[in-house]
Amino acid sequence: MNKDQVEGRIEETKGTVKEVTGKIIDDKGMEVEGNVQKNLGKAQKGYGDLKQDIQKGK
């Protein structure tokens, strides 16, 4: 597991928490911000997965 995979998963989790919190307290701004953060985390994790696959020669 590389740095991008770890950081991506962390950001994805933080974004999910923020999104759910925004829904609970009815804060659309926080909900949208959490959704964006979650998706950026997914993208970073995907980039890390791709890097790992390339390093392994897949």
Side-chain angles (χ1 to χ4, degrees):
M1 190 172 269
N2 62 39
K3 179 181 171 186
D4 288 307
Q5 289 171 313
V6 172
E7 288 180 3
R9 284 186 173 98
I10 291 170
E11 287 303 310
E12 186 177 356
T13 302
K14 287 176 11 182
T16 300
V17 169
K18 193 180 285 187
E19 183 179 19
V20 170
T21 302
K23 286 180 183 178
I24 290 171
I25 63 173
D26 198 29
D27 184 341
K28 287 292 182 191
M30 181 182 278
E31 187 178 338
V32 169
E33 185 179 327
N35 190 7
V36 169
Q37 186 174 8
K38 178 178 72 174
N39 289 322
L40 287 173
K42 282 182 184 181
Q44 184 175 10
K45 182 180 69 153
Y47 173 71
D49 292 342
L50 181 62
K51 275 179 38 179
Q52 185 176 21
D53 287 346
I54 290 171
Q55 288 174 348
K56 289 183 177 180
K58 290 186 177 178

